[in-house]
Amino acid sequence: MKSLFSLFFLMSSLVLLSQDVAILKYKGGGDWYSNPTALPNLVKYCNDNIDTNINENIQTVEAGSIDIFQFPLLHMTGHGNVFFSEDDARNLRNYLISGGFLHIDDNYGMEPYITKELLKVFPNKELIEIPKDHEIFNSAYDFPNGLPKIHEHDGKAPQAFGIFHEDRLVLLFTFESDLGDGWEDPEVHNDPEDVREKALKMGANIVKYAFEN
């Protein structure tokens, strides 16, 4: 038991001391690898604009790996199925309650799968909509109307959902927004520059919040 506690303390310290981000690889067949230019572009934007010093060589970590504890922020995206084993869910729960942060960006079609799998991570918690006055919407840049709309998809309003642990937002699920598409290289989606800028600024808010909370 003592060695287990020591390991947990060590992993918590790694999360708190690091300032890097990683892509979360998951099972189930969903394209966790989509938007390959998104996170590198967001990291460069943050390093250039909000005084971060994040490694621009983005690593990939698996949900069940102890390696996730090296990163205060994990980014997860995709279009399709998601599956967490019991070990994956336990590992993610320990990561989140020990100081980690997970941003899940629905790249379209992910919502029914991820909401079901998150019940394995936090059986007694549900995703709740984050109010527009929450700190994550003004940590670096102001978004008084909440999450920006980047891609239309079904034409619905963008929504930001979260899971809280002891009053700290530990997980953010961005839905009907598709921030990651806005972070990609300009020629990938041909988004207007102001739309890409909104996406990158909201991404910078997420990074800043995750690093400071």
Side-chain angles (χ1 to χ4, degrees), residues 9 20 31 56 66 76 83 87 99 122 131 133 146 156 192 205:
F9 179 79
D20 284 336
D31 54 342
E56 295 184 17
I66 194 174
M76 176 179 174
F83 174 77
D87 287 343
F122 288 108
D133 60 355
K156 298 177 181 177
N205 275 14

Side-chain angles (χ1 to χ4, degrees), residues 43-107:
V43 165
K44 186 177 188 310
Y45 185 87
C46 290
N47 288 344
D48 290 345
N49 292 278
I50 63 168
D51 298 322
T52 53
N53 185 27
I54 307 169
N55 186 348
E56 295 184 17
N57 182 22
I58 307 299
Q59 296 187 49
T60 298
V61 292
E62 297 193 13
S65 170
I66 194 174
D67 292 341
I68 66 174
F69 289 86
Q70 299 177 42
F71 303 95
L73 170 60
L74 300 177
H75 175 73
M76 176 179 174
T77 191
H79 296 82
N81 191 35
V82 177
F83 174 77
F84 294 143
S85 68
E86 289 186 12
D87 287 343
D88 294 339
R90 185 183 307 108
N91 199 48
L92 286 169
R93 180 168 57 253
N94 288 338
Y95 163 79
L96 293 169
I97 67 176
S98 65
F101 187 93
L102 174 60
H103 172 221
I104 306 171
D105 189 43
D106 188 347
N107 206 358

Side-chain angles (χ1 to χ4, degrees), residues 83-163:
F83 174 77
F84 294 143
S85 68
E86 289 186 12
D87 287 343
D88 294 339
R90 185 183 307 108
N91 199 48
L92 286 169
R93 180 168 57 253
N94 288 338
Y95 163 79
L96 293 169
I97 67 176
S98 65
F101 187 93
L102 174 60
H103 172 221
I104 306 171
D105 189 43
D106 188 347
N107 206 358
Y108 193 53
M110 191 185 202
E111 185 267 343
Y113 306 104
I114 190 61
T115 51
K116 176 172 64 72
E117 293 304 294
L118 287 177
L119 291 174
K120 297 178 182 177
V121 181
F122 288 108
N124 300 316
K125 295 180 184 290
E126 293 185 356
L127 287 166
I128 60 172
E129 190 157 10
I130 300 172
K132 295 176 182 179
D133 60 355
H134 188 273
E135 181 187 349
I136 204 162
F137 296 122
N138 59 31
S139 60
Y141 301 97
D142 288 333
F143 285 88
N145 295 318
L147 188 67
K149 184 76 170 176
I150 306 304
H151 277 195
E152 281 303 319
H153 295 318
D154 290 330
K156 298 177 181 177
Q159 291 179 283
F161 298 97
I163 290 177

